Amino acid sequence: MFVMALHGMKKADFYTSLVLLVFSAAIVFMSLNMPSLAGRDESKWSNPGVVPTFIGVVLFALSFAMLVRSFVKKDADQYSESAGNVQSNPPAPAVSAPAISKASLSRIGVTVLLCLGYVFLLGKLWFPLATFLFVFMFIVAFEFSREKPMLSQWKMLIVASIIAVLASASVTAVFQYLFLVNLP
Amino acid sequence: MFKGLELFGTAVISFLSLRTLFNALWATQLGIIIGMLPGLTATMGVALLTTLTFKMAANDAILILICMYVGAIYGGSRSAILLNIPGTPANAATTVDGYPLAMQGKAGKAIGIATTGSFLGSVIGMLAMLVFTPMLGNVALKFQSFEFVWFAIFGIIICGNLTAPKDPLKGWIAGFLGLFVAMIGMEGIHAYVRFSFGSTDLSGGISLIPAMVGTFGFSEIISVMRHERYEVVKTRIDRVIPKPGEVFKYWKTIIRSGIIGTFIGAVPGVGEDIAAWVSYDVAKRSAKPEEREQFGKGSIEGLLASETGNNACVPGAIIPVLTLAVPGSAPAAVLLGAMLIHGVRPGPLIMLEFPSFIYETVAMVLIATFMMFILGLSMVRPLVKVLQVPRQKLMPIVFVLCVVGSFALQSRLFDVLVMIVFGLIGFVLREMEYPMAPLVLGIILGDILDKNLRRALILSNGSIAPFFSRPICLVLFLLTMLIVLGRAKWVRQLFAGLKKSR
């Protein structure tokens, strides 16, 4: 019932606060179970669990405050208007878009998947080759158009290959040979 | 005082070698380019260069990082003016008047004004750094464990308050999550491994640089890729160097914004974006009515205020790095990490252990500032072409740099995973309006809080009285309470009621 009445950010805050409450309770529980070193002539205040317990308790209190607020707060905007906001000026457009559209979501998904794929290949494949594949696939994934015939997109594929070769070679050369940095 | 000036002069002269100036030149230019490109922030630029320079001599490496920092914060104004997208979060306020000026065909003028404002802001910040760093260093020598505990809590509270002005609760939660992250791994007193769940990698703790590259690099890549393509404003860039009268007409705004920027920079974790917004806001409120109407429509004064404020914040953010080992901003946090890697130990003892390093750092800021001014007024037209590089061609290369930057310091693939996890968490949290600065500050302050809270409790045998009876503690406690209660609705209503009844 309550959940149904929640909207947008308020709903997100409600769920986040629940997750944080469980998380912070777990921190407190684990911290309290950390060994006490009082038996070894050490002060009990030097126990490793002292500070995590403090952090867990504060985090629990803050999460609880957010949970209560997600019920009580009438309108998120109403709160922010009365809060004496220094960022009263309009934020830059395109930077803080409020909601994620379906197209944005698919772009985010493709980006994350490609990046995870690249990280998965690291250590398994030679770094320059993995980098070439990643850069090439990334460019193709965002520039390939299903509406255009395959043959008309050969130029894009060549450009993507050239960029991928140059990026892979230059990153390897600069880091490994110029700055003597280890590569994955 | 004279001893300080002498040390500063010696430091400046020592940096006037061809090799050092060349390093400063390329690092500042690279900073400007990184700052210009949406998706590449100053934090990431400094983090990546930390990796590249960790085999260099300490002074060379730190000069390069400071040049990158100063260059990137300034460079972000280019995309703010030409794309209406701040290149770094620090330049968000610059879009408000910079872009309208570009739309009016005055892009060259706007770039010139932004460059001059950034230069003057940086100079004001540098002067403040020269004067206040040794003073604060001497005060910091009086800090003991009790004071450090309050300082860590105060840092999280004020950072959360200022970086999430709409909802400070989220800022505080982010800060305490950061403190928790710092608890992972082996603790510093008994070498007990906390929250590692049997993982050898986790027992080493979460390294700051991969976490920051993820939070400010990978999450930024996802943010950039979610949008459709960006359009560079089609305008002729003519005269870039501004007429002195155009700038110095607003000398009061410049000085005011410089002071505000430096002060906000010195506040733990708050950073350049808030400095720019506050400077802009104060300039708008203080402007003459006819000038105030121009704010948001292409006001020179507004543009000057935001750019002076954000660049003045850079030296301001380095002040607490040197004196308290607490960063004033996210890039300054990486700078702090880099200093530690190079064997410099910033913090209260710096005045005793490395007194000349303070003045060397001020000299580095001076060199970076002049490089930024010279490069900012030249090479404007060719650099606009950098903005036209499609993001789908640029972002995969940026991600490769994120991976290499995370991996290189310790040669652990685990750090790459840390970068990925923090990037994803950072993206989701930002979508839910949690600020990232308190999270990062929490990771740094976690260790300070951990050691000092336990030491303080051991010293007082569990009594909390000294936390409230020592003068500096009392001031920090009252300031913390003022911030927390100042944001509580019932307190505001109470004060409103009291005012009405009068």
Side-chain angles (χ1 to χ4, degrees), chain A residues 90-165:
Chain A
V95 170
S96 54
I100 301 178
S101 67
K102 211 174 169 183
S104 289
L105 207 62
S106 91
R107 279 194 296 270
I108 291 169
V110 171
T111 306
V112 172
L113 277 179
L114 284 166
C115 293
L116 290 178
Y118 175 55
V119 171
F120 176 75
L121 287 179
L122 291 174
K124 296 181 181 70
L125 215 60
W126 187 42
F127 177 78
L129 183 61
T131 304
F132 166 80
L133 285 175
F134 168 66
V135 177
F136 178 77
M137 293 295 290
F138 200 102
I139 298 171
V140 171
F142 284 96
E143 292 198 346
F144 181 78
S145 168
R146 279 186 201 165
E147 284 134 36
K148 291 182 193 168
M150 189 65 193
L151 275 174
S152 69
Q153 298 189 61
W154 60 271
K155 199 178 157 189
M156 178 270 290
L157 292 173
I158 290 174
V159 172
S161 313
I162 294 170
I163 293 171
V165 167

Side-chain angles (χ1 to χ4, degrees), chain B residues 1 125-137 319 359 362:
Chain B
M1 179 71 191
M126 188 210 69
L127 291 174
M129 199 179 162
L130 188 64
V131 175
F132 294 111
T133 311
M135 281 165 64
L136 193 64
I319 297 175
Y359 298 99
V362 181

Side-chain angles (χ1 to χ4, degrees), chain A residues 16 46 48 69 94 107 143, chain B residues 167 194 226-227 432 454:
Chain A
T16 318
S46 75
R69 202 188 64 190
R107 279 194 296 270
E143 292 198 346
Chain B
D167 193 350
R194 297 182 293 207
R226 72 181 265 191
H227 298 295
M432 291 164 68
R454 288 192 283 165

Side-chain angles (χ1 to χ4, degrees), chain A residues 9 12-13 16 20 23 27 30-31 34-35 37 42-43 45-52 54-55 58-59 62-63 65-66 69 73 78-80 82-95 97-100 103-104 107-108 111-112 115-116 118-119 122-123 127 131 134-135 138-139 142-143 159 163 167 171 174-175 179-184, chain B residues 26 51-56 84-86 92 95-96 153 162 165-170 172-173 176-177 179-180 183 187 189-190 192 194-195 197 218 221-222 225-228 230 274 277-278 280-281 284 390-393 395-397 399-401 403-404 407-408 411 413 416-417 420 424 427 431-434 449-450 453-454 457-458 461-462 487 489 492:
Chain A
M9 191 56 74
D13 285 354
T16 318
L20 285 171
F23 182 65
I27 295 174
M30 283 192 279
S31 307
M34 282 178 192
L37 298 154
E42 296 277 0
S43 162
W45 298 108
S46 75
N47 285 352
V50 170
V51 181
F54 167 72
I55 293 170
V58 177
L59 203 53
L62 292 171
S63 313
M66 193 158 77
R69 202 188 64 190
K73 206 166 78 178
Q78 200 179 324
Y79 177 83
S80 64
S82 61
N85 189 355
V86 286
Q87 286 182 335
S88 53
N89 303 291
V95 170
I100 301 178
S104 289
R107 279 194 296 270
I108 291 169
T111 306
V112 172
C115 293
L116 290 178
Y118 175 55
V119 171
L122 291 174
F127 177 78
T131 304
F134 168 66
V135 177
F138 200 102
I139 298 171
F142 284 96
E143 292 198 346
V159 172
I163 293 171
V171 168
V174 168
F175 280 82
F179 289 96
L180 307 172
V181 163
N182 291 330
L183 292 174
Chain B
W26 72 256
T51 310
L52 279 179
T53 55
F54 83 106
K55 289 197 177 163
M56 288 185 171
N84 199 23
I85 296 163
T95 56
V96 181
I153 296 170
L162 290 178
K166 279 184 184 174
D167 193 350
L169 193 58
K170 289 186 175 175
W172 300 335
I173 288 175
F176 276 87
L177 282 175
L179 288 176
F180 169 72
M183 296 299 114
E187 48 94 25
I189 295 183
H190 299 295
Y192 179 80
R194 297 182 293 207
F195 306 110
F197 307 101
F218 182 38
I221 292 172
I222 304 172
M225 289 312 297
R226 72 181 265 191
H227 298 295
E228 292 289 352
Y230 301 137
I274 303 295
W277 279 118
V278 175
Y280 184 86
D281 213 49
K284 191 176 177 182
R391 70 215 158 102
Q392 66 271 19
K393 290 192 173 82
M395 288 304 131
I397 301 170
F399 184 73
V400 172
L401 295 177
V403 166
V404 176
F407 178 82
S411 300
L413 270 176
V416 179
L417 293 179
I420 293 280
L424 292 173
F427 177 72
E431 287 299 310
M432 291 164 68
E433 297 176 357
Y434 286 83
L449 181 72
D450 187 32
L453 180 56
R454 288 192 283 165
L457 287 170
I458 294 167
N461 201 19
R487 300 312 296 265
K489 207 173 177 181
R492 288 203 308 275

